Amino acid sequence: MAVRSDGPRCPGVDVALNARFPIFVGLRYATSSRGRGYLSFVSAFALGAMAIGVLVLIVVLSMMNGFEGEIRRRMLEVVPHATLAPVGGIEDWRALRAGAQLPADVEADPYVEGQALVGFGGAAAPAVVYGLEPKVIHDRLAAHLIAGDLEVLAPGEFGIVIGQLLARDLGVVPGDRLLLTLPELSITPAGAFPRVKRVTLAGVFRVGGQSDQGLAFMHLADAQTLYRRGPRVDGLRFTLPDPTDAAALTALAGAFPGQRVATWRDDAADLLRALRLEKAVVGLLLSVIVAVAAFNVIAALVLMVNEKRAAIGVLRSFGARRATVAAIFNVQGCALGLTGIALGAAAGSLLAVELPALVAWMEDLTGLRIFDPELFFISRLPSELRWPDLISVCLGAGLLTVLATLYPAWRAAQLDPVEAIQSAH
């Protein structure tokens, strides 16, 4: 005799229709391991794979955040936080600075910027030369100076400070005489020749990254003479206590109405876009691990449905609706996946926070160095755990887990109760 699965219910089976019943049975199935050797292994494998996938994703994203933060921090050591560079330069920069309503903690300093080919012997390399006041150069580079002396940057001496990578490429040391070739032509009776100027290498700095290869600094007065600016400067460069404060950058732009204040985010837009794209691609690739773990959840639930055919038939014959049966296996799959996500998130967060110290301890213990300071701009592995990344990883893995439970739960709900009971015997 066939049983109508969606017919009138018996009063004694109201518990089967209670909202808590699928949760109770689903959690019971998820935690019970009696007589389920291979199935228990598949379930444990799915849970472990989910935990490892979440852990790896959190740690790798934190490492990329650390590298991004390190690059940004080192870049801002020498790059201005914001600049005001009107066309034609600024004749009286002191009056312009005095008339602007700048916060007391914002520094505004004049600068001259120009291109040059820095040469020594038979080697040459391009660089951007900044002319700054000695105090500004000292404040920005004193902590990063690895050779030379910034005190020799006096007007008329034409001293220059370059980065370590540029100095290494040219093979120079402080005191050497460098040849600056400017992108201008001097007309002489013998013809047109590029303008050149002999300068003295006053110091070598190291902040890490591209700045060590493409930047050079000299006295403001010498740069004005070298690039024929006269009393003019190219603009003002601003230094903020917190260059990442968007509100402060916006307020700075409002201090010069009608003029454009370019921020470091504008100047480094391509770099920041590349870093974000790299992080997104790496995160997407590593998400495959979580997707594989979700497929393992599907396999574990399919095996559970096959094992519980008789129990499903009994529930259906006592009046349980298809939705109730489906909810049971939804709960079981979610319990399996969410447990793995929770374990992976907890372990990944802890590892991401402690990773620099852990790697440093292993380096000190073994004597090996992952990042050789002579080759890389960092000496320690950076890591920065960000809550948006953690939340995104957990939500994404949770969504995949929920989706993974839909097919096995639907399959369980479609079982005919009579056939399910008969097949069990």
Side-chain angles (χ1 to χ4, degrees):
M1 178 179 178
V3 178
R4 292 182 59 188
S5 58
D6 293 321
R9 302 188 302 270
C10 299
V13 297
D14 284 344
V15 66
L17 305 174
N18 192 290
R20 291 176 294 179
F21 180 73
I23 299 176
F24 173 79
V25 178
L27 294 178
R28 179 76 174 178
Y29 283 173
T31 56
S32 176
S33 60
R34 183 173 55 185
R36 292 167 49 199
Y38 179 69
L39 182 56
S40 295
F41 170 77
V42 174
S43 300
F45 187 82
L47 188 149
M50 184 65 73
I52 292 175
V54 171
L55 181 147
V56 170
L57 197 51
I58 291 174
V59 171
V60 171
L61 291 180
S62 298
M63 289 174 56
M64 297 193 70
N65 292 336
F67 279 109
E68 178 187 349
E70 193 71 18
I71 292 174
R72 184 173 61 245
R73 183 183 66 80
R74 291 173 181 268
M75 178 182 67
L76 292 174
E77 293 286 347
V78 293
V79 173
H81 301 164
T83 56
L84 172 66
V87 178
I90 303 174
E91 289 287 349
D92 191 353
W93 60 268
R94 293 181 178 83
L96 178 63
R97 183 174 64 177
Q101 299 296 324
L102 294 176
D105 54 358
V106 174
E107 301 177 9
D109 303 294
Y111 76 93
V112 169
E113 178 183 357
Q115 304 285 334
L117 191 66
V118 185
F120 181 80
V128 178
V129 180
Y130 282 99
L132 301 172
E133 293 180 313
K135 177 182 180 302
V136 179
I137 297 178
H138 184 275
D139 291 344
R140 307 307 293 177
L141 297 180
H144 305 286
L145 197 70
I146 60 174
D149 185 6
L150 296 179
E151 300 300 330
V152 301
L153 291 176
E157 296 295 330
F158 287 93
I160 192 170
V161 182
I162 64 176
Q164 181 193 31
L165 295 180
L166 181 57
R168 186 185 65 183
D169 293 342
L170 299 177
V172 294
V173 295
D176 288 339
R177 298 281 289 175
L178 308 182
L179 184 66
L180 291 188
T181 303
L182 307 181
E184 298 179 18
L185 294 178
S186 295
I187 307 300
T188 68
F193 297 93
R195 289 186 59 226
V196 296
K197 177 64 179 178
R198 288 282 180 181
V199 296
T200 302
L201 181 59
V204 178
F205 66 88
R206 181 178 186 271
V207 297
Q210 191 64 27
S211 300
D212 289 352
Q213 193 164 25
L215 292 183
F217 299 89
M218 62 191 314
H219 195 285
L220 177 64
D222 292 342
Q224 287 175 311
T225 301
L226 184 65
Y227 290 100
R228 296 176 175 175
R229 298 293 194 266
R232 290 186 299 110
V233 297
D234 290 343
L236 294 176
R237 52 181 282 159
F238 305 96
T239 304
L240 286 71
D242 182 10
T244 62
D245 187 353
L249 293 173
T250 303
L252 182 62
F256 299 92
Q259 302 190 62
R260 181 177 180 270
V261 176
T263 68
W264 66 271
R265 294 184 183 275
D266 300 324
D267 297 333
D270 292 338
L271 174 61
L272 297 177
R273 191 180 302 110
L275 291 174
R276 287 194 297 267
L277 179 60
E278 181 182 13
K279 179 180 176 182
V281 171
V282 171
L284 183 61
L285 293 177
L286 291 179
S287 298
V288 174
I289 302 176
V290 179
V292 171
F295 279 108
N296 290 331
V297 173
I298 295 176
L301 287 182
V302 169
L303 291 176
M304 176 61 74
V305 169
N306 290 333
E307 183 183 90
K308 299 296 184 181
R309 292 175 66 90
I312 294 172
V314 171
L315 287 174
R316 294 292 309 283
S317 65
F318 275 94
R321 296 182 180 274
R322 296 180 189 272
T324 302
V325 175
I328 290 174
F329 291 95
N330 286 137
V331 170
Q332 181 189 357
C334 289
L336 192 66
L338 295 180
T339 300
I341 293 172
L343 293 176
S349 300
L350 180 62
L351 183 58
V353 172
E354 299 297 335
L355 187 62
L358 178 62
V359 172
W361 175 78
M362 293 180 62
E363 288 180 340
D364 295 338
L365 183 65
T366 62
L368 302 175
R369 290 292 179 266
I370 296 178
F371 298 102
D372 187 349
E374 296 298 325
L375 301 177
F376 301 96
F377 69 91
I378 60 173
S379 57
R380 297 294 187 183
L381 182 67
S383 179
E384 180 184 345
L385 178 64
R386 296 179 183 173
W387 288 110
D389 291 338
L390 178 62
I391 295 173
S392 299
V393 170
C394 292
L395 289 179
L399 178 60
L400 287 177
T401 298
V402 173
L403 293 177
T405 66
L406 296 181
Y407 170 71
W410 174 83
R411 181 174 174 178
Q414 299 306 310
L415 288 178
D416 183 85
V418 175
E419 293 180 359
I421 295 174
Q422 289 177 348
S423 64
H425 296 284

